[in-house]
Amino acid sequence: MSTVKVINVAKDFSRYPAGRYKDDGPFTGEHFREDFLIPALNKYDKVVIELDGTRGYGSSFLEEAFGGLVRAGFDMELLKKKLHFSATDSSLVEEIEEYIEDAAKAHDCSPEP
Amino acid sequence: MSFIDNIVTWLLIIAGWWIVHALHEVRNFRSSLRQLAAEVRESASDLRKKAYNYHTASQHNDELSGDIKRDLQRLAALCRFLQPVYSEKEINQHIKNLRRAITSENFDSPINHRKLDVNDPVLTNIDVATDDLVFFVENAYFTIQASFPVRLILLTRNRRI
């Protein structure tokens, strides 16, 4: 049986998500990725992110939280399969998907260590 | 008067009513579009000013950054009303461009905040994205005019404005 985790950004994380790196504040994209997204992706088959309810998102937060998953080693296809979004503003979902794809492209182009 | 004549008379009455109703609906719709365009122009202009103030300030401003994100959210909601004219994808493209232009670089980072010069590419991108969005919304009025006969046939169904 598949397991599902629902993360409501406003309720579970913050109504005021802001910033890219941990140095930028208490509710940044890096915090969200490391404290919520990665543990949920490692434990559950499907992760639903509810984006409504916050006071808006900056692209820096979105890119670091979701594009950063690819840089952290998650496969794009796996993310497409596992990550699901619920949002009134569908431009947010499109933007997140683009960040994941862009990060995957950059990851593929980067030289092997 | 024969039965056929009666039928023709009634059909003409119904067709006349239908055309008047459709014209009224289209007129209302176009008037809503004009209002929407004015509202978007004003909101986008406010947003551009706030973005300029934020990026040209010597320090990160938490309150202003919150305002900018809220305004972007409101502007996105406002643009949803264009869905009878444009596809969701077309609308989203402009919203994403504007959000990226304002909030992807030098944003929400108190430690690394830079005071940008007025000629900085970040500010140029904000100008371009704002102008594109306003032009896109203003253009909806003419797009609706071009599709006028189709709207007439469909009795302006799915009207959301």
Side-chain angles (χ1 to χ4, degrees), chain B residues 4-17:
Chain B
I4 298 290
D5 286 343
N6 264 337
I7 291 281
V8 169
T9 307
W10 276 109
L11 282 177
L12 283 173
I13 289 168
I14 290 167
W17 169 85

Side-chain angles (χ1 to χ4, degrees), chain B residues 95-108:
Chain B
I95 298 296
K96 282 185 292 179
N97 286 349
L98 186 59
R99 186 166 43 235
R100 276 201 190 114
I102 300 174
T103 67
S104 68
E105 274 183 62
N106 197 42
F107 196 77
D108 274 342

Side-chain angles (χ1 to χ4, degrees), chain B residues 7 42 45 48 56 66 76 84 88 92 97 113 116 128-129 132 147 149:
Chain B
I7 291 281
E42 200 183 318
S45 167
R48 188 201 322 235
T56 54
E88 192 176 16
N92 284 349
N97 286 349
H113 184 85
L116 300 184
V128 171
D132 280 355
S147 62

Side-chain angles (χ1 to χ4, degrees), chain B residues 23-90:
Chain B
L23 285 171
H24 177 73
E25 286 289 298
V26 170
R27 218 170 18 245
N28 276 349
F29 184 73
R30 279 158 58 185
S31 144
S32 304
L33 274 179
R34 267 198 300 271
Q35 279 173 20
L36 180 69
E39 224 173 310
V40 168
R41 205 182 305 120
E42 200 183 318
S43 301
S45 167
D46 281 353
L47 184 59
R48 188 201 322 235
K49 273 183 212 152
K50 284 179 186 171
Y52 260 74
N53 287 342
Y54 178 86
H55 284 292
T56 54
S58 53
Q59 280 186 330
H60 159 79
N61 181 334
D62 218 24
E63 199 179 323
L64 193 52
S65 100
D67 267 4
I68 289 170
K69 283 181 283 188
R70 266 195 302 274
D71 287 359
L72 277 165
Q73 209 171 26
R74 274 196 218 116
L75 203 53
L78 210 54
C79 289
R80 300 273 142 245
F81 287 112
L82 289 171
Q83 279 192 8
V85 188
Y86 295 124
S87 72
E88 192 176 16
K89 220 167 177 53
E90 286 174 305

Side-chain angles (χ1 to χ4, degrees), chain A residues 16-20 23-24 54-60 62 88-92 94-95 98-99, chain B residues 65-66 69-70 72-73 76 80 88-89 92-93 95-96 99-100 103-104 107-112:
Chain A
Y16 305 93
R20 184 182 287 272
D23 288 349
D24 295 334
T54 69
R55 290 289 176 255
Y57 293 91
S59 294
S60 54
L62 297 174
T88 311
D89 180 359
S90 59
S91 73
L92 288 170
E94 281 186 21
E95 193 171 332
E98 283 172 16
Y99 288 138
Chain B
S65 100
K69 283 181 283 188
R70 266 195 302 274
L72 277 165
Q73 209 171 26
R80 300 273 142 245
E88 192 176 16
K89 220 167 177 53
N92 284 349
Q93 192 56 52
I95 298 296
K96 282 185 292 179
R99 186 166 43 235
R100 276 201 190 114
T103 67
S104 68
F107 196 77
D108 274 342
S109 181
I111 293 174
N112 300 312

